[in-house]
Every structure is written in C-alpha cells, then in structure tokens.
Amino acid sequence: MESIAREVKGSFRWYPVQKTFSIVSPRDTLKFAVGIPYMNRNGRTIELSQAPKLDNGHIWIAENDAKKISFRTALIDTKAAKPIPESKNFVEKPVAKTEAPKVAEPKPTAPVVVKPKPPKAEIAGTREVRTIVIDPGHGGKDPGASGKRAQEKDIVLAVAKLLRKNLANEGFNVKLTRSKDVFIELSQRAILANQWDGDLFISLHCNAIDATEERKKQIQGFQFYVLRAPESEEDKAIARRENAVATLYGEKNAKDELSPLEWFKLEARLEQYKQTSYLFTEKLLDSFEGGKIRKMNTGVGGAGFMVLVGAMMPAVLIELGFISNEEDEAYMMTKVGQQDLADRIAEAVSNYKDAVHTYRETLGR
C-alpha cells in the first residue's frame, strides 16, 4: 500500500487499533478497513472486489483494486489533456484586416447596486457556538441503571435542568430532549438535536456495573465518551448497556452495537465533528479535575453509542459517575453534588465556545 501511495504522490497512514488505513493524495482521500470489501473515496463508499488483508505486518489488496487506485489520477490527466482530432476538410482561412468600428459613447446610467451574497451556512463545530442540546438519558418506563437508593433517569434529569439554567444565564440557547419523566427513543433524541440545529450535543448518564459488593466499592468515577470504534471490551460493554434500551423497548432498527461495515460508512461523516468532539472532552477533563467524583482511567473513551449516531454536530456522552458505587451515588443524589456537576459541565461548554471562537479568528471568520 505504501508503494501505491507513492505512485499517486500521497501519504499512507495506518491505524492499528481500528485496523483501518488511508491514502491521502492531492486529489483523493481514500479510506480502507482490513476485512471489509469497501473503500471510502472522498466521502463516497465504493465496493471492492476483495477485502484488504493483513498478513505478517503487510497489507494486501486485490490487484484490480490496486489498479483502480494507482491509475485513477493518470487516467483523469490523460483524458483531460487529449487533443481534439482535426477534420481532414478543415482549411485555415486568413482573416482580413479591417478597421475597428466606432463605438458610440454610452449614456450615463444609474449605478447598479449589487447585493452581497449571504455566506454559505457553516456546519456545527466550525461556526460560533450558540445552541446546546442536553439529553438526559433514559426516562419514563426506562429507569436506566439503579443504585441502592436512586435511579439514573432521576439524577440525570436533575443535573440537566441545573445545567440548562447555568447555560441560559450565560446567553446560550438551550434545549432539552426531555424536561420531565418521559420515555424518548434513542434515535429520536438525535433527530430533535438536528431539528434544533444544535452546535453541541451532550447526553447525560450514570454508569453501573453488575458485580459483587466488593467490586462495586472499587469501581467509581466519571468518564466521557465520543462516537468512535471502541478500543476496549470495557467500552464495548458500556455502549451495549446504554444501547440495550432500544432493543428492550422495541425501537425500530435497534441494535446493541455497530458492525465493522457500519463503522466504516460512518467514518466520513464523523470526520466533520471528530476533532471538535475531542476538543469538548478536553475542556470537560479540565473542568472536572479536582472534583468530588474522580476520573476513571483516562477519563475518555469511545464506543458505538446509538444516541450519538445521528447527531450532526459535535457530541459527547457523559457518565457522571457510578450509581452502583455508594460513594458516587450518594454525591450524585445531593443538591450540592448535582449543582457541582452542572457547574463543571457549564464551565467546559463556555471554555469550548471560547476555543472555537479563537480558532475562527485565526481563520479570519
């Protein structure tokens, strides 16, 4: 593959965790995944004759697929440069010299006023951050995870309402996917966010594990998730638990996790929002530093959360803490704890807004 990349004057990149690779040339961005018979060319999915293979540290693709890649640029250049054949009966005639005709002076007219064209609409993540969509997970017939004294749906709704108040006071336009104890399908939450033309989607949850009491005492902490192929079995398990809502309550086209092909098809769209989603998680990590609920592992993970799949904007799922852990649960149940969590998320949103604004200024927008 590296030789093909050199042939098209491009660069080769290998992502070992996801087992995906790309070739970026002046004309094309080509993306592949080992074991999947498709490639993505500039956002469009194209079927290959065979899936790429990984063998002894080398990536192999079928010869006819390699030709499609390596000769595409040359073919386009050749066709563009091909001369139009001359007709055998064509005879070039001399052009007689004539004096230029006199042109009458134009009469003065009123100046033409040209209205400037409105700028093209910018996508979420590149424009100024104004509309924040908060998604309190679960609700109604779906209680979410349960602790010894509390339910996930109640904690996240309480934090969401406090967060809405904080952000509204700072001048943001704030929308909640639910403002009371009702059930909303996972797919509908992203649809609502898109209808509201959100600039940032925040889905609030509480984590939990099914284990012995001793184990539950040990596992605690907050964690933030972006939509990406999972890197650990732990991330997969958390996504399956959150996605189980859809299958449990009969949501159409529900599934516990995304297939490799579905991930591959999502990748081009996710590219638009990936960096800004990561930027927001960085701001969250900064604002949660030193809080009562401590960080779990690195504090950031990625998995196929169905609630994030359809959101056409930067999106992050926040696990506020472990409701299965008595210490985390007790703090998340208190008014002080809920306000603290809302304050920290609001701080991250404001810092994210400032970072996007600064970036826009560097681009002269």
Side-chain angles (χ1 to χ4, degrees):
M1 291 303 298
E2 292 183 8
S3 61
I4 293 173
R6 286 194 295 271
E7 193 171 340
V8 296
K9 297 179 181 178
S11 60
F12 173 80
R13 297 170 189 171
W14 166 243
Y15 306 93
V17 174
Q18 300 178 13
K19 288 188 172 52
T20 61
F21 57 97
S22 63
I23 295 175
V24 181
S25 73
R27 282 185 182 272
D28 296 310
T29 297
L30 309 173
K31 297 182 179 181
F32 305 82
V34 172
I36 297 177
Y38 291 88
M39 75 171 174
N40 186 292
R41 171 176 278 149
N42 302 326
R44 183 182 170 207
T45 302
I46 299 171
E47 189 170 2
L48 301 172
S49 62
Q50 293 182 43
K53 296 179 182 179
L54 180 62
D55 181 29
N56 197 25
H58 296 283
I59 299 169
W60 301 91
I61 64 171
E63 186 177 358
N64 54 335
D65 292 328
K67 288 179 179 178
K68 289 178 190 176
I69 302 165
S70 58
F71 293 120
R72 182 174 185 263
T73 304
L75 283 171
I76 291 175
D77 289 345
T78 303
K79 288 178 180 178
K82 190 175 181 181
I84 301 172
E86 295 181 5
S87 168
K88 293 180 180 178
N89 299 322
F90 178 80
V91 178
E92 186 177 353
K93 295 181 180 180
V95 179
K97 292 183 179 180
T98 57
E99 291 184 6
K102 292 182 179 180
V103 180
E105 290 285 332
K107 294 181 179 180
T109 57
V112 178
V113 178
V114 180
K115 293 183 179 180
K117 292 182 180 180
K120 291 183 179 179
E122 295 178 277
I123 66 168
T126 64
R127 64 194 181 204
E128 296 286 1
V129 181
R130 295 187 177 90
T131 301
I132 311 299
V133 181
I134 306 167
D135 170 49
H138 309 279
K141 61 185 178 182
D142 171 24
S146 296
K148 288 191 173 181
R149 295 184 293 153
Q151 292 184 320
E152 180 179 3
K153 67 174 184 177
D154 299 322
I155 290 174
V156 296
L157 181 58
V159 174
K161 288 180 177 180
L162 293 169
L163 177 57
R164 174 178 61 182
K165 184 178 179 181
N166 280 15
L167 294 176
N169 288 340
E170 293 181 29
F172 289 99
N173 176 32
V174 189
K175 300 288 187 180
L176 264 64
T177 57
R178 68 178 183 97
S179 57
K180 53 187 178 180
D181 188 19
V182 294
F183 175 74
I184 300 174
E185 293 186 350
L186 291 184
S187 59
Q188 290 301 310
R189 296 167 190 254
I191 289 172
L192 286 171
N194 295 335
Q195 288 176 349
W196 292 325
D197 200 21
D199 295 306
L200 182 63
F201 183 74
I202 304 171
S203 190
L204 300 177
H205 293 263
C206 297
N207 218 333
I209 59 166
D210 183 15
T212 64
E213 290 302 315
E214 190 60 34
R215 182 70 173 153
K216 287 179 180 178
K217 289 179 182 178
Q218 296 171 356
I219 304 300
Q220 62 183 135
F222 66 80
Q223 195 154 24
F224 314 127
Y225 288 92
V226 294
L227 184 60
R228 72 176 184 217
E231 297 179 2
S232 70
E233 288 302 318
E234 181 183 75
D235 287 348
K236 283 184 180 181
I238 292 171
R240 280 195 296 267
R241 182 178 65 78
E242 297 293 359
N243 293 341
V245 174
T247 52
L248 182 62
Y249 296 107
E251 187 170 336
K252 188 179 178 182
N253 300 322
K255 56 186 67 181
D256 285 348
E257 58 185 292
L258 296 170
S259 69
L261 178 56
E262 287 168 321
W263 273 118
F264 187 67
K265 290 183 176 181
L266 265 176
E267 191 178 39
R269 180 173 67 76
L270 293 177
E271 195 69 30
Q272 298 180 82
Y273 314 113
K274 183 171 68 177
Q275 295 306 321
T276 39
S277 294
Y278 289 159
L279 175 60
F280 180 53
T281 60
E282 289 175 8
K283 302 306 177 186
L284 283 168
L285 285 171
D286 290 342
S287 64
F288 270 65
E289 186 70 31
K292 176 73 173 177
I293 297 179
R294 61 191 185 204
K295 179 169 61 179
M296 180 188 178
N297 299 329
T298 63
V300 178
F305 293 95
M306 298 305 296
V307 71
L308 302 182
V309 167
M312 305 296 284
M313 63 198 71
V316 174
L317 185 142
I318 297 177
E319 297 281 7
L320 297 168
F322 274 80
I323 200 171
S324 53
N325 176 275
E326 285 188 41
E327 191 177 336
D328 280 4
E329 179 193 25
Y331 190 68
M332 292 189 293
M333 286 178 63
T334 65
K335 293 292 183 184
V336 171
Q338 291 167 1
Q339 186 64 65
D340 175 53
L341 292 167
D343 290 346
R344 291 176 186 276
I345 298 170
E347 179 186 346
V349 173
S350 292
N351 292 338
Y352 169 74
K353 175 190 175 182
D354 293 343
V356 172
H357 178 73
T358 300
Y359 177 69
R360 286 172 55 81
E361 284 187 329
T362 64
L363 300 178
R365 293 180 181 175

